Amino acid sequence: MSGQAFEPKNMLFRNLGATGLRVPVFSYGGWLTVGYEQKGDIVKELMQTAFDLGINMFDNAEAYASGESELQMGRVIKELGWDRSDIIVTTKVFFGTGRSERHNTRGLSRKHIIEGVNKSLERLGLDYVDIVFAHRPDVTTPIEETVRAFNYLIDQGKTFYWGTSEWSAMEIQQAIEIAKRLNLVGPAAEQPHYSMLHRERFEKEYEPLWRYENHGSTIWSPLDSGLLTGKYNDGIPEGSRYHSNLNGAMDDNVKHLTSPEGKAKVEKVKKLTAVAERLGGSMTSLALAWTLHHKGVSTCILGATKPEQLKENVKALDLYPKLTPEVLEEIEKILDNKPGLPTSFGRRGDDGTLM
């Protein structure tokens, strides 16, 4: 029996790269949230709030909370009774579930891809996911074997699309070319880190993918673990992700915050906060709206731990139209971190061949 019907509200939708899959520009992810400190009723509240705000895409991975994240999300999907065609569910395979992983219980061999996805489907309680991502590249497995394994899952109806996460542009291009040569389905999207403060790879190395392949992306950590919300402008407040530290997961971030480079970033955030407030928004809204201006961004994964944060996050849709070329130039001057020219790999010559 179907539950509440999906109402997109004022959510914006984009095609996932060159595919026909329409994804909301904001999605909700389980990394460092669902299955960790967020379990039980709060997960249902978070996912229901996202759904009510027009966010119908939910991202996960076999490794998140050692599989607990998938169990929590799967339980909520079942309890809320959403029509399966109304939601987009993604997961990732590579790391396994953290149980002394070695040999065939991790990586991108045909064996682990197929077995890993089958176990993810069991935890999610679903017959299929919409997208499966290769969570990292696997240098010990031929890319052709990986491409064939994901194509098999598509043929079996266990996923509709596949993608990569934190692969190099060259590895992605290899997978695309192998799939074309073998008449198989190639990767549709990359899941990279992208934010105002983390731009080099997305805007330089991957640029040929966005430009010549119309490749999709599902970006993660657009707020840099909260740094771009402005909450750390005056230190580390109680209740923040840096303060809770999630069993040491934020150690590097905390150390970075007190370094000269980290302090310089905080000064930039303070200046950007003034721009956001002048436009009638928050630093959070500005940071999220800014990512949507890049043509390569299909959807921006949110990692809110409270429903109120999700409501604040989607206010970026109101700020997005206010980011005129003049405002974007002002932001660029404050950031002062625009990458250089894109790498030449993947460019096409006048005859259309790769250079």
Side-chain angles (χ1 to χ4, degrees):
M1 184 172 66
S2 297
Q4 175 190 357
F6 179 61
E7 296 291 342
K9 310 295 182 184
N10 66 335
M11 182 58 61
L12 299 177
F13 285 77
R14 296 175 176 175
N15 280 63
L16 182 72
T19 77
L21 182 65
R22 299 283 290 170
V23 297
V25 293
F26 291 126
S27 44
Y28 182 64
W31 178 59
L32 296 181
T33 52
V34 178
Y36 294 89
E37 294 182 341
Q38 277 63 39
K39 297 180 182 180
D41 291 342
I42 185 60
V43 178
K44 182 184 288 189
E45 189 177 357
L46 282 162
M47 293 179 69
Q48 182 67 66
T49 299
F51 192 81
D52 291 342
L53 291 169
I55 298 171
N56 67 332
M57 183 170 179
F58 302 95
D59 178 78
N60 222 302
E62 63 176 358
Y64 293 170
S66 300
E68 182 64 27
S69 188
E70 289 176 322
L71 285 169
Q72 291 285 328
M73 275 199 181
R75 173 185 58 79
V76 169
I77 291 170
K78 180 178 180 180
E79 290 178 2
L80 292 176
W82 291 328
D83 191 311
R84 183 63 183 87
S85 63
D86 275 344
I87 59 174
I88 299 166
V89 182
T90 72
T91 195
K92 293 178 283 294
V93 62
F94 178 88
F95 292 108
T97 55
R99 50 178 189 81
S100 301
E101 306 294 352
R102 63 178 185 269
H103 303 309
N104 295 313
T105 59
R106 60 175 292 147
L108 297 178
S109 67
R110 182 181 180 91
K111 178 176 174 64
H112 182 61
I113 288 173
I114 295 171
E115 291 180 344
V117 169
N118 281 337
K119 289 178 180 178
S120 285
L121 292 175
E122 287 179 16
R123 288 189 290 270
L124 288 164
L126 299 175
D127 295 327
Y128 64 90
V129 288
D130 297 87
I131 314 168
V132 177
F133 291 91
H135 209 165
R136 289 295 184 275
D138 182 355
V139 297
T140 69
T141 301
I143 291 181
E144 180 173 324
E145 178 177 339
T146 297
V147 172
R148 286 182 180 277
F150 281 115
N151 192 83
Y152 171 83
L153 290 174
I154 291 172
D155 286 346
Q156 294 295 307
K158 294 185 177 181
T159 187
F160 296 138
Y161 309 92
W162 75 277
T164 59
S165 181
E166 297 297 331
W167 281 33
S168 70
M170 183 173 290
E171 289 163 333
I172 295 169
Q173 190 66 57
Q174 281 183 289
I176 291 172
E177 295 301 326
I178 287 171
K180 287 179 179 178
R181 174 170 58 82
L182 299 175
N183 198 28
L184 302 175
V185 180
E190 160 66 17
Q191 185 167 123
H193 180 190
Y194 182 51
S195 74
M196 283 179 159
L197 301 175
H198 194 96
R199 305 173 59 180
E200 186 78 11
R201 193 172 206 185
F202 193 91
E203 296 183 17
K204 186 175 182 179
E205 180 184 341
Y206 293 148
E207 175 61 24
L209 291 171
W210 319 138
R211 181 175 299 182
Y212 302 111
E213 299 290 350
N214 191 21
H215 209 63
S217 77
T218 62
I219 66 169
W220 59 273
S221 202
L223 297 174
D224 273 307
S225 297
L227 183 59
L228 283 167
T229 65
K231 70 172 67 174
Y232 300 112
N233 285 359
D234 300 304
I236 300 177
E238 286 191 26
S240 66
R241 185 167 288 179
Y242 285 14
H243 183 262
S244 62
N245 202 6
L246 298 172
N247 296 320
M250 295 290 110
D251 277 347
D252 290 341
N253 301 66
V254 173
K255 291 178 183 177
H256 181 71
L257 189 64
T258 57
S259 70
E261 184 183 357
K263 290 178 180 178
K265 288 180 180 179
V266 169
E267 288 306 309
K268 290 181 180 181
V269 173
K270 288 180 179 178
K271 293 177 181 178
L272 291 169
T273 301
V275 175
E277 291 174 349
R278 190 185 76 228
L279 296 173
S282 66
M283 183 61 229
T284 297
S285 296
L286 182 68
L288 293 174
W290 180 88
T291 67
L292 301 184
H293 268 275
H294 194 287
K295 63 183 179 297
V297 174
S298 306
T299 187
C300 178
I301 302 172
L302 307 175
T305 57
K306 302 178 181 67
E308 295 73 23
Q309 292 173 332
L310 279 172
K311 294 174 184 178
E312 174 64 27
N313 289 170
V314 299
K315 289 180 181 178
L317 295 174
D318 298 324
L319 207 62
Y320 177 60
K322 298 180 181 179
L323 299 190
T324 62
E326 293 76 19
V327 172
L328 289 171
E329 181 60 29
E330 180 182 4
I331 292 171
E332 200 66 74
K333 288 179 179 178
I334 294 172
L335 289 174
D336 191 28
N337 63 355
K338 188 176 179 66
L341 293 174
T343 51
S344 60
F345 175 78
R347 291 185 179 182
R348 295 186 183 276
D350 294 336
D351 61 354
T353 58
L354 285 171
M355 299 171 62

